[in-house]
Amino acid sequence: MKGINLEKLHDEGVENLLSKERRQFLQFGLSISGVFLGGSILSVTSAKQAQGALSRGKVPVAEFPYSPHYTMVIRQNHCIDCERCLEACRKTNKVPAHGYRTSILERSIPIAQGQRERAFMPILCNHCNNPPCVRVCPTQATYKDKTNGIVLMNPEKCIGCKTCMAACPYNARYFNEEERAIDKCNFCYDTKLKESGGKITACAAACPANVRIFGDLTDPESDAYKLIHAPGKVLWVLRPEAGTLPNVFYLDA
Amino acid sequence: MNFCHKANALPSTSINRVLFFVALALVSGLGLSFGLHSMLVGHDSTFGTSREVPWGLLVSPYVFFACLSTGLCIVSSLAQVFGISTFQAIVPRTVFLAIITMATGLMCITLELENPWRVGFYALSSPHQSSNIWWKTTIYSLYLIFMVCNFLLLTLKKEKRAKVFAIIAFVAVTLGNLNMNSDMGLLSARGFWSENYMPLYFLSLSTLTGCAAILLFNWIGKSFSGQIAETKDDAALKATGKLFMVLLLGIFYFTGVKIMGGFYPQFTKNPEAMSLLVQGNFAPNFWIGEVGLAVLLPLALIFITRGEKTNILALAGISCLTGVFVLFYDLVIVGQLIPHYSQYNVVDLPKYYSYSPSLHEIMITTGALFFFLAAFILGEMLFKKIYNS
C-alpha cells in the first residue's frame, strides 16, 4: 500500500468541515419533537423514560418549522452589563418593577488554575421548539405561534397555576400581578417587533455593543443567520440537557 | 369471634357533638378566609412563593389529600370491585372519606391558583390535551362525582349499581394518580421530581396513606359513637393493618434509596437536591418526618402489638399520615430549590433558593385540614347507621 505524503497535501483548513458539522448541529437542534409522552388520559410513562423521550425522541426535519423562524444570537463576550437592554424591555413592554422579561447574569468562568474570566450572560425566553411551558399549560394560555414560533401568552386564559414557571428551565417567566397572568418575553411581538416590521426587538435595538442579534433563521440575509452559519464559530444553547431545543444561541464573537 | 353490634345502642347526636362540629367548621372558615383574602389582593403580598419557587405549601395538601383519596378508593375497591369480603364492613365510611379528602384537595389547589374563577370556563373552552394538569383536574372532578354516586347508592342499599360507579371511580382515580405524578415528574427543568415521582412509588404511597386513614378514622369514628366493644369492622381493620405493614416495608425500601442518594452522589442524578434533603436544611423533615413518623414508628407499633390492637393501629396511622404530609412537602419544595443556572458559575447565585410558607399559606392549609375534619364529624353524625349496618 502506497503511503500518503502528508507534507505535500494541500491544507484545506477546518472551516469547511466545521461548517458541515455546524449545519448538522443546527439541524439536530431544530428538530421537532416526535413521540411525545406528555399528558394523556393514561399517563403511565415513568418519569425517567419520559425525560429520555423529551430529549431524544425527536424526528429530524430538513426544513425550519416556522417562517419567519425568529431567533436571537447572543454574542456573550461583547456584553458589558450596561443594562440598556433591560431598560428598553421594561419601557417598551410595560414590565412592572416586580418582574423582568430579560436579565443579565454575571459569570466567573474558570479558565486556568487559579484564574477566572468574567463574562456577562444575557438571558431571556428561549422560545424553544419543544417548550415545556406550553406542554403543561392546562388552558392553552401559553402557546407557540404557528407562523413564527414565538412562545406567546394569552393573559385572559391564564388561571395562575404557575406550572409553566415551574416547568421553564430558564426562569424566564414571572407572574404579573397587574395583569393577573404570567408574563414573559415575546420578542416584542406586539410592540417593537410589530413597529419594525418584524426586524428587531427592543433589547436588540438598545444594545450599544451589538450583543443581541435578532433575526430569522430562514433568511440568509439576516445577521443572525449569517452569524450562526459563519465558519469557525462555536455556538451553544443553555441547559441542553432539558431537551427544549432553544432558539436563542450563544457564541463568543 | 364475638362481634358485638351496638348500632341500636348508639347514643343519639348530642348537642356537644354538634358544637364540636361547629367549632371545627369555624376554624375551617377562619383558615379559608385567608384564602379569600389572598384571592382578592393577589399572592404576591400574601404567599411565600417567588419567581424561582412558584409552588408553595398549598401544593402539598393538594397532593396529600388527592393521594389519600386515591388510597381510600383503592382500599374500598378491594371489597367493592375485587370482592374481598373482609373489607366490606368499612366500605361506606371509606367511600365517604375518599369523597371528602378529594374535595379538600381540590379546594386547596383552587386556593393555590391566582385566578381560580377562570378554570371552569377555559378548562372546557380551551382544553389542552397534552397537559397533565388538565387531565388530572378533569379526571379528579369526574371521580368525585362517581364517588358521590357510589356513596348515595350505598346509602340506598343498591350495592350492584354502586359497584358500577366504584369500578369507574377506581379506574378514574388510578388514571388521575398517574397524571398527578407525571405532572411533576415530566418537568425536565426540575430533575429532583423526575427522579422521585415514579408511578409505582406514588401509587404505593397513596395506598399507604389510604390504609393509615382507614385505621385512624375508623377508630375515631368508633370512639365518637361510643362503641367500645369489638365489632365486625375490626376484622377489616386488622386486614387493613396487614396491608398497611406490607406497604410500609415497600416505602421503607424507597426511603432507603433516598438515603443512599443523599449520602452517595453516584446513586442519584440530583446530588444537590438529595443532599439538601438528607443532610441539609431539610434533614430534620426527612429523618423525623419521612423516616421516623412515616415509616419506622408505624412499623415498630405494628410489630410490637402484632397488629392486633386497633387503637395502636390508629396511632400508627396518624404517625404515618403526618410523616407522609412532610414527605410531600419536601418533595414539592426541595424539587424547586436548585437554582436554574447552577452549572454556569453565576456570581452571587445562592447554592439553594429559599422558601418559607407565609401566614396565609399556613392558615389556608389549617382551614383545609379542619374542613376535612368537620366534614368527617358531620359524616359520623349523619351516616352512623349506614356505617354500622
Side-chain angles (χ1 to χ4, degrees):
Chain A
M1 187 177 167
K2 194 178 177 182
I4 299 170
N5 191 343
L6 292 171
E7 288 177 4
K8 289 183 179 177
L9 287 175
H10 174 65
D11 181 10
E12 293 179 334
V14 294
E15 289 83 1
N16 292 332
L17 268 176
L18 270 177
S19 182
K20 188 182 174 187
E21 294 280 302
R22 188 176 304 106
R23 286 197 190 97
Q24 285 175 343
F25 165 70
L26 275 173
Q27 208 170 46
F28 170 73
L30 293 165
S31 66
I32 56 170
S33 176
V35 178
F36 195 75
L37 298 168
S40 67
I41 192 165
L42 188 67
S43 196
V44 292
T45 315
S46 83
K48 196 176 176 184
Q49 285 173 326
Q51 198 182 24
L54 286 170
S55 57
R56 291 194 295 272
K58 305 170 190 95
V59 180
V61 291
E63 293 178 355
F64 292 104
Y66 308 101
S67 182
H69 190 120
Y70 288 127
T71 185
M72 187 173 279
V73 180
I74 309 261
R75 305 200 295 177
Q76 183 184 254
N77 61 342
H78 280 213
C79 182
I80 54 170
D81 195 25
C82 68
E83 297 191 358
R84 288 192 189 179
C85 50
L86 311 190
E87 196 182 330
C89 176
R90 278 208 183 90
K91 279 186 183 171
T92 307
N93 299 301
K94 296 182 177 129
V95 180
H98 66 263
Y100 60 85
R101 289 185 174 195
T102 179
S103 183
I104 299 171
L105 301 179
E106 183 183 346
R107 298 178 66 192
S108 177
I109 308 163
I111 50 172
Q113 195 169 9
Q115 290 187 321
R116 301 184 87 85
E117 180 184 74
R118 181 191 283 194
F120 297 104
M121 185 170 81
I123 54 165
L124 67 160
C125 171
N126 282 251
H127 298 281
C128 312
N129 280 358
N130 186 17
C133 53
V134 170
R135 182 185 73 78
V136 298
C137 181
T139 57
Q140 302 189 64
T142 191
Y143 60 99
K144 202 151 168 69
D145 188 281
K146 286 176 182 168
T147 307
N148 54 42
I150 295 177
V151 176
L152 295 169
M153 272 300 300
N154 181 346
E156 292 284 307
K157 289 185 181 178
C158 181
I159 61 169
C161 64
K162 300 181 182 174
T163 313
C164 56
M165 289 170 71
C168 177
Y170 306 106
N171 193 19
R173 294 170 163 261
Y174 72 99
F175 191 80
N176 187 329
E177 292 288 338
E178 289 154 24
E179 285 193 352
R180 288 200 79 125
I182 299 292
D183 188 33
K184 63 177 287 295
C185 163
N186 60 1
F187 276 160
C188 298
Y189 180 74
D190 48 349
T191 52
K192 186 73 177 177
L193 192 65
K194 197 174 179 183
E195 290 164 16
S196 64
K199 296 294 179 194
I200 200 160
T201 61
C203 58
C207 181
N210 227 12
V211 173
R212 298 177 184 238
I213 312 297
F214 180 78
D216 175 6
L217 274 172
T218 62
D219 178 11
E221 298 304 313
S222 163
D223 287 344
Y225 180 98
K226 288 174 186 169
L227 271 173
I228 288 169
H229 291 82
K233 300 287 182 196
V234 177
L235 289 158
W236 67 91
V237 294
L238 298 180
R239 300 198 63 184
E241 77 282 0
T244 57
L245 310 179
N247 279 307
V248 173
F249 299 91
Y250 288 76
L251 62 83
D252 278 335
Chain B
M1 194 175 282
N2 179 27
F3 288 128
C4 178
H5 296 276
K6 296 192 68 177
N8 296 332
L10 284 178
S12 60
T13 303
S14 69
I15 189 74
N16 286 344
R17 286 170 191 174
V18 174
L19 286 175
F20 183 51
F21 164 73
V22 171
L24 290 173
L26 282 175
V27 178
S28 171
L30 175 69
L32 297 176
S33 66
F34 279 77
L36 293 176
H37 180 244
S38 289
M39 213 182 285
L40 286 172
V41 301
H43 295 183
D44 189 38
S45 53
T46 54
F47 278 25
T49 50
S50 61
R51 178 183 184 126
E52 288 75 24
V53 186
W55 284 350
L57 171 64
L58 283 178
V59 176
S60 308
Y62 167 51
V63 177
F64 175 79
F65 280 112
C67 287
L68 180 51
S69 184
T70 304
L72 288 162
C73 179
I74 288 171
V75 178
S76 73
S77 298
L78 293 177
Q80 278 197 295
V81 177
F82 300 105
I84 304 173
S85 56
T86 315
F87 295 94
Q88 191 64 47
I90 55 171
V91 164
R93 186 181 271 128
T94 306
V95 171
F96 183 74
L97 283 170
I99 292 168
I100 60 174
T101 45
M102 184 54 77
T104 310
L106 290 174
M107 189 171 67
C108 287
I109 200 63
T110 301
L111 293 172
E112 202 268 342
L113 300 178
E114 294 262 9
N115 309 315
W117 55 88
R118 291 178 183 167
V119 175
F121 182 71
Y122 289 112
L124 293 173
S125 66
S126 183
H128 194 200
Q129 284 82 6
S130 64
S131 163
N132 292 109
I133 289 193
W134 186 86
W135 277 109
K136 78 177 175 189
T137 310
T138 308
I139 291 170
Y140 280 152
S141 304
L142 292 171
Y143 157 79
L144 197 53
I145 295 168
F146 298 143
M147 284 302 265
V148 169
C149 294
N150 182 9
F151 186 72
L152 288 176
L153 289 166
L154 282 174
T155 59
L156 296 170
K157 304 285 181 195
K158 294 181 177 175
E159 277 84 9
K160 281 188 179 174
R161 287 184 188 177
K163 184 179 176 179
V164 173
F165 283 98
I167 293 169
I168 300 170
F170 172 70
V171 173
V173 85
T174 309
L175 300 177
N177 192 262
L178 292 167
N179 271 285
M180 170 73 91
N181 85 67
S182 299
D183 172 31
M184 302 174 90
L186 288 185
L187 299 187
S188 56
R190 319 278 181 165
F192 180 72
W193 289 341
S194 306
E195 192 169 355
N196 286 285
Y197 275 80
M198 293 164 286
L200 183 63
Y201 179 48
F202 232 59
L203 269 173
S204 306
L205 263 180
S206 301
T207 315
L208 178 78
T209 53
C211 290
I214 287 168
L215 296 172
L216 174 63
F217 289 104
N218 274 281
W219 180 79
I220 294 176
K222 279 174 69 177
S223 305
F224 190 78
S225 304
Q227 286 175 290
I228 301 162
E230 195 172 4
T231 68
K232 63 180 177 179
D233 291 7
D234 286 7
L237 292 179
K238 283 172 187 169
T240 308
K242 284 175 186 165
L243 179 61
F244 182 53
M245 190 181 70
V246 172
L247 289 164
L248 279 172
L249 290 171
I251 296 301
F252 188 47
Y253 165 76
F254 285 114
T255 309
V257 173
K258 279 191 189 180
I259 294 169
M260 285 172 71
F263 285 114
Y264 305 104
Q266 63 267 34
F267 289 112
T268 175
K269 287 179 179 174
N270 303 280
E272 301 94 346
M274 293 304 290
S275 171
L276 176 66
L277 177 67
V278 176
Q279 301 183 65
N281 289 345
F282 282 74
N285 282 12
F286 180 75
W287 291 104
I288 297 170
E290 295 191 35
V291 179
L293 292 174
V295 181
L296 291 184
L297 182 59
L299 269 179
L301 289 171
I302 290 172
F303 277 124
I304 290 167
T305 60
R306 299 179 181 225
E308 293 293 322
K309 293 187 176 177
T310 51
N311 55 345
I312 299 297
L313 284 173
L315 187 62
I318 195 169
S319 171
C320 180
L321 288 172
T322 311
V324 172
F325 184 87
V326 174
L327 183 155
F328 281 134
Y329 175 79
D330 291 347
L331 207 52
V332 172
I333 302 302
V334 171
Q336 300 175 84
L337 297 186
I338 307 303
H340 295 77
Y341 294 99
S342 56
Q343 71 267 51
Y344 288 95
N345 301 297
V346 176
V347 176
D348 295 333
L349 191 72
K351 189 177 179 189
Y352 299 113
Y353 292 139
S354 63
Y355 165 79
S356 297
S358 68
L359 174 67
H360 277 73
E361 289 171 288
I362 293 168
M363 286 305 293
I364 296 167
T365 305
T366 308
L369 178 64
F370 275 80
F371 169 82
F372 164 72
L373 293 174
F376 168 69
I377 295 299
L378 185 66
E380 292 301 315
M381 291 191 292
L382 294 179
F383 305 119
K384 63 183 176 186
K385 281 186 182 171
I386 296 153
Y387 292 165
N388 290 291
S389 60

